[in-house]
Amino acid sequence: MPLITLPDGSEKHFPEPVSGFDIAASIGSGLAKAALALEVDGVQRDLSTTLSHDARVRILTAKDVEGLDVLRHTLAAQVLARAVKELYPQARLAIGPTIDTGFYYDVDFPEPISPEALPAIEARMQEIVAENLPVTREMWPRDQAIDYFQHKGEHYKAQIIQAAPAEESYVSLYRQGADGADVFMDLCYGPHLPTIGKAGSAFRLTSLAGAYWRGDSNNKMLTRIYGTAWPSEKALKAHLRMLEEAEKRDHRKLGRQLDLFHSQEEAPGMAFWHPKGWTLWQQVEQYMRAVYQHTGFQEVRCPNVLDVKLWKASGHWDNFKENMFFTASENRDYAIKPMNCPGHVQIFKQHLHSYRELPIRLGEFGSCHRNEPSGSLHGLMRVRSFVQDDGHIFCTEDQIHDEVVAFTRTLQQVYADFGFTDILYKLATRPEQRVGADAVWDKAERALQQALDGQGINYQLNPGEGAFYGPKIEFSLRDGIGRVWQCGTMQVDFSMPGQLGAEYVAEDSSRRTPVMLHRAMLGSLERFIGILIEHYAGHFPLWLAPVQCVAMGITDHQADAVQALAGRLRQQDLRVETDLRNAKVSYKIREHSLQKTPVILVLGNREIERDTVTVRRFGSNVQQTLPVTELIERLRAEISSKRLPETPMNAAA
RNA sequence: GCCGAAUUAGCUCAACUGGUAGAGCAACCGCCUUGUAAGCGGUAGGUUGGGGGUUCAAGUCCCUCAUUCGGCACCA
């Protein structure tokens, strides 16, 4: 007779086999109502599952990540799928999994459908939920299931079963409706909600998109219907608000509004940086230049155009020629550099190095071009022309560990300085298409792993995601509205130095090939600045703000004093603009507030008499009058702290 | 690259089933000398993304190219 152990450690004896319903009901009627599925010894099961043996059981509700996932799964696989089949009987269903915010279903429609079709499908979904039919699991012999789906024309489902491991002789199907009802039935691992009504109504269909069958671009493109689903209307609304917020922060929109950059048809995937955007860029670049200096890097600069033979030797031609730009002159073929590393190897090779000199660290802010597929371009986030905080470390195998540790520590500080404190780590190991012997890969992967483990860092393993020349650690940060961006990278490369002929003289005076570490913290500066814009919603901390202060008078009688004040502040390295237009103060305040200028300085006759200035911070309507010398002191302190003011009112003013 | 959608004044957007392209903001010119998120008046601004076609007539329908957006695939 089963002994059920609950997550809090309590135990319940049952005289006979029990279902998940019974267990939930035995704990409380509220839970019985909220229960969506079970977790039995760590495996998700239907609530109807009968347990006859001892087990650790967790009742899943929409409050659990897993319970919500079951809800979303049922919405996709039972509700959306059924609605689509009822409205489009000729449509063929492929797969319908869950995602972070909801679910999608890939469907092969005989005729393309347009986004206008979504409201009707969604309305049908609501009706299906309201019908509240039960959902039950059935185990079918594999061949019988294949026949069933093939007979119905659902050949994608048949293919899915055929692709399953041969030893699985039964597959599970979920039937909607009472015993044997022929309302809707689909292949699914489950679990599902016990009844459709438990899905609730906090869901929306959000968009349509193309998606390749099985994610392979050689296959047919299906239509993907995206939906979002939440435990409550409130949570749904919160999610929709977050999307609105993300839209408001969109760096493309803010880039235009704040006059930071633009792009135009003639240069797809490349940014034109305007004065303010370039000022922001320079803050980032100069900061990273200082980081290079503090961490033993020497900055270099290599040509943008190099003979293709170099790219053939490095392996890039074989792997990436489709995505490179080329040019030719006097019967020689050149490539526009897609990365800096081969150039850095050329610099390394200009001298014969002793092992005593290693590690040699070279850094560059060189412009790289990659001919990214047109469909992948996205604002500053994915561009064809970019600059990385790119560095290469030439070292011995023994030095890898310490270099990785030092890099990780610096990266944490750098991210914190930019306002990011939540960092995620991934270790990506050997891909299928690669160069180098397995023994070398073993060594490289181990070195990275030990460096992470040694620092007590939790990381996720990403098998098969390494670069063709070596494994890598990927560093991601979480932004102000919870999105994760991969920025930093540390890659071990045992191949390229040898292929490009780099070597050093070891203790025993033999010639050896150095290891090369490819590393970047911000990645593409374009993209990182895009992330910064969205993270801060254009409201940059003082040290990054393109224009830190704007100074204005009440009337044009104060113009000279405003100019003089601006001059004084500029002497202190503050970025100051003046607004001497003949307009009301409130008009100018509004404009500079929309521009998110952090500090607005107003001079009237009162201030001029006492050498004071009235300060208004972005985000606050508090005015504070203080001596100019004190203002300078406070602003300089805020800049060196690199932080946003705790509350706008207490900052600098 | 693939699927779908979009492209109208500097910006944000209108223009019913084909029938004279408009508004707000910005710009420019005046007036106002102004104390913390929009003072008042006036002026100018467009080959409706490019090219082709259908039609008496095209922003609107068709074809094509480009770019952008949402995804997919790719991402050294």
Side-chain angles (χ1 to χ4, degrees):
Chain A
M1 295 302 101
L3 172 66
I4 302 301
T5 309
L6 297 168
D8 66 355
S10 65
E11 297 179 339
K12 280 187 176 275
H13 291 270
F14 290 90
E16 50 197 42
V18 284
S19 72
F21 294 112
D22 301 330
I23 298 170
S26 77
I27 298 170
S29 61
L31 184 62
K33 220 167 160 186
L36 301 180
L38 287 183
E39 192 180 276
V40 180
D41 293 328
V43 181
Q44 289 180 26
R45 309 292 296 271
D46 291 315
L47 202 54
S48 59
T49 308
T50 301
L51 304 175
S52 47
H53 299 288
D54 296 356
R56 286 180 299 108
V57 171
R58 218 176 120 204
I59 310 284
L60 301 178
T61 72
K63 283 186 183 146
D64 309 303
V65 183
E66 298 88 348
L68 180 57
D69 197 62
V70 171
L71 183 154
R72 287 166 170 169
H73 189 196
T74 299
L75 271 172
Q78 289 288 323
V79 184
L80 173 55
R82 184 182 148 196
V84 165
K85 284 298 286 184
E86 288 179 355
L87 295 170
Y88 304 89
Q90 297 307 309
R92 301 293 168 239
L93 301 172
I95 54 163
T98 59
I99 50 178
D100 280 352
T101 58
F103 55 87
Y104 65 78
Y105 214 111
D106 284 351
V107 182
D108 189 0
F109 286 98
E111 301 288 335
I113 65 165
S114 77
E116 285 83 62
L118 292 182
I121 300 173
E122 191 179 297
R124 184 68 198 123
M125 287 175 71
Q126 294 285 6
E127 288 166 15
I128 291 169
V129 171
E131 272 179 27
N132 194 19
L133 295 177
V135 181
T136 49
R137 180 187 176 98
E138 297 178 8
M139 297 306 290
W140 285 43
R142 180 192 179 100
D143 291 343
Q144 198 180 323
I146 293 173
D147 284 349
Y148 171 79
F149 285 113
Q150 226 131 33
H151 180 71
K152 288 180 65 168
E154 297 285 1
H155 51 270
Y156 293 104
K157 298 292 177 188
Q159 275 185 55
I160 292 169
I161 302 172
Q162 273 156 347
E167 60 270 21
E168 289 182 19
S169 47
Y170 281 85
V171 296
S172 58
L173 274 63
Y174 278 82
R175 184 190 294 277
Q176 212 175 122
D179 296 341
D182 190 22
V183 178
F184 181 77
M185 186 151 69
D186 197 11
L187 175 73
C188 192
Y189 284 111
H192 272 306
L193 303 176
T195 54
I196 297 290
K198 294 216 174 199
S201 57
F203 63 87
R204 293 281 158 80
L205 295 185
T206 50
S207 60
L208 278 185
Y212 298 108
W213 167 233
R214 294 206 159 132
D216 185 336
S217 57
N218 297 312
N219 288 344
K220 181 166 186 181
M221 180 157 274
L222 312 175
T223 302
R224 177 168 296 179
I225 302 175
Y226 278 97
T228 187
W230 300 86
S232 64
E233 286 293 335
K234 200 175 153 197
L236 171 65
K237 285 214 179 89
H239 173 67
L240 296 175
R241 255 200 308 279
M242 197 282 277
L243 292 182
E244 266 174 45
E245 178 60 30
E247 204 175 319
K248 258 189 262 169
R249 292 168 177 237
D250 190 312
H251 70 283
R252 293 163 296 196
K253 194 169 166 179
L254 286 170
R256 197 167 40 237
Q257 281 169 3
L258 304 183
D259 198 17
L260 302 175
F261 64 91
H262 86 273
S263 65
Q264 62 188 51
E265 264 189 46
E266 289 80 358
M270 308 189 201
F272 291 74
W273 289 95
H274 298 193
K276 285 180 189 169
W278 192 245
T279 301
L280 171 59
W281 174 297
Q282 280 305 315
Q283 304 320 308
V284 176
E285 183 177 321
Q286 298 298 355
Y287 169 86
M288 287 313 295
R289 183 162 280 129
V291 171
Y292 275 161
Q293 217 159 14
H294 297 155
T295 54
F297 276 80
Q298 297 169 284
E299 190 178 333
V300 297
R301 182 82 175 188
C302 297
N304 279 5
V305 175
L306 290 158
D307 194 304
V308 287
K309 72 181 178 198
L310 203 60
W311 304 104
K312 285 180 178 168
S314 71
H316 290 95
W317 203 82
D318 285 338
N319 285 282
F320 294 106
K321 62 174 178 297
E322 301 303 323
N323 296 312
M324 289 166 69
F325 287 108
F326 295 99
T327 184
S329 169
E330 294 180 338
N331 296 322
R332 283 184 72 181
D333 292 324
Y334 298 89
I336 319 293
K337 72 173 174 183
M339 55 189 335
N340 299 306
C341 34
H344 292 181
V345 174
Q346 306 314 307
I347 291 178
F348 179 87
K349 282 168 63 181
Q350 290 304 300
H351 301 287
L352 184 58
H353 295 289
S354 156
Y355 70 95
R356 295 171 194 277
E357 295 171 61
L358 303 183
I360 289 175
R361 308 182 188 90
L362 301 179
E364 177 168 352
F365 296 101
S367 184
C368 294
H369 290 75
R370 295 180 184 176
N371 195 8
E372 304 286 3
S374 56
S376 67
L377 301 179
H378 180 93
L380 293 178
M381 301 305 189
R382 187 81 180 268
V383 287
R384 286 186 174 149
S385 171
F386 59 92
V387 173
Q388 287 170 290
D389 60 318
D390 198 10
H392 295 95
I393 302 169
F394 296 87
C395 63
T396 66
E397 287 172 24
D398 296 340
Q399 291 169 328
I400 295 175
H401 176 272
D402 287 355
E403 289 299 315
V404 173
V405 170
F407 173 83
T408 306
R409 295 219 171 110
T410 306
L411 174 135
Q412 287 161 347
Q413 181 59 49
V414 166
Y415 284 9
D417 281 345
F418 282 109
F420 304 107
T421 47
D422 193 359
I423 308 176
L424 293 84
Y425 305 82
K426 284 183 190 167
L427 176 59
T429 56
R430 67 196 77 184
E432 276 183 34
Q433 198 190 2
R434 61 179 184 263
V435 297
D438 281 355
V440 174
W441 278 87
D442 288 342
K443 203 161 26 178
E445 288 169 4
R446 204 162 31 216
L448 292 181
Q449 197 181 332
Q450 283 170 355
L452 287 172
D453 287 340
Q455 294 178 92
I457 288 171
N458 287 321
Y459 59 91
Q460 188 190 319
L461 203 59
N462 248 7
E465 296 292 315
F468 72 86
Y469 48 70
K472 58 186 177 187
I473 302 174
E474 294 176 338
F475 302 84
S476 302
L477 51 85
R478 195 182 294 278
D479 75 7
I481 52 174
R483 296 171 303 181
V484 172
W485 304 91
Q486 195 238 305
C487 296
T489 184
M490 167 55 85
Q491 310 177 2
V492 184
D493 184 350
F494 286 101
S495 304
M496 198 186 298
Q499 276 167 324
L500 296 180
E503 50 182 26
Y504 69 96
V505 180
E507 289 107 312
D508 60 1
S509 79
S510 66
R511 299 286 174 104
R512 297 218 184 129
T513 304
V515 177
M516 180 156 75
L517 304 178
H518 306 247
R519 41 110 291 156
M521 294 190 180
L522 311 183
S524 144
L525 262 68
E526 279 80 356
R527 179 165 170 276
F528 191 77
I529 290 170
I531 294 168
L532 281 177
I533 293 170
E534 301 202 357
H535 173 65
Y536 287 114
H539 174 208
F540 301 107
L542 205 54
W543 76 287
L544 289 171
V547 178
Q548 294 169 319
C549 309
V550 61
M552 64 184 72
I554 303 291
T555 70
D556 47 16
H557 299 311
Q558 292 90 29
D560 289 345
V562 169
Q563 298 272 34
L565 171 66
R568 264 171 93 179
L569 298 181
R570 288 182 187 128
Q571 287 303 307
Q572 300 296 321
D573 295 326
L574 291 161
R575 298 186 288 276
V576 185
E577 280 188 355
T578 56
D579 186 346
L580 301 175
R581 291 175 302 174
N582 178 15
K584 285 192 148 187
V585 178
S586 54
Y587 178 85
K588 294 199 261 191
I589 295 279
R590 176 181 150 80
E591 277 204 358
H592 296 292
S593 297
L594 290 173
Q595 286 295 306
K596 303 179 198 288
T597 309
V599 182
I600 295 176
L601 304 172
V602 179
L603 282 187
N605 292 334
R606 291 204 295 270
E607 288 84 358
I608 293 171
E609 279 165 25
R610 300 179 196 123
D611 195 29
T612 59
V613 57
T614 298
V615 184
R616 177 189 169 119
R617 296 300 306 251
F618 175 80
S620 163
N621 56 10
V622 172
Q623 301 170 42
Q624 185 171 4
T625 303
L626 69 168
V628 176
T629 49
E630 193 180 335
L631 171 76
I632 290 170
E633 225 169 90
R634 291 196 193 187
L635 293 181
R636 289 180 64 95
E638 186 176 328
I639 287 167
S640 62
S641 84
K642 294 193 166 57
R643 298 284 176 262
L644 276 176
E646 295 284 321
T647 62
M649 280 155 277
N650 296 337

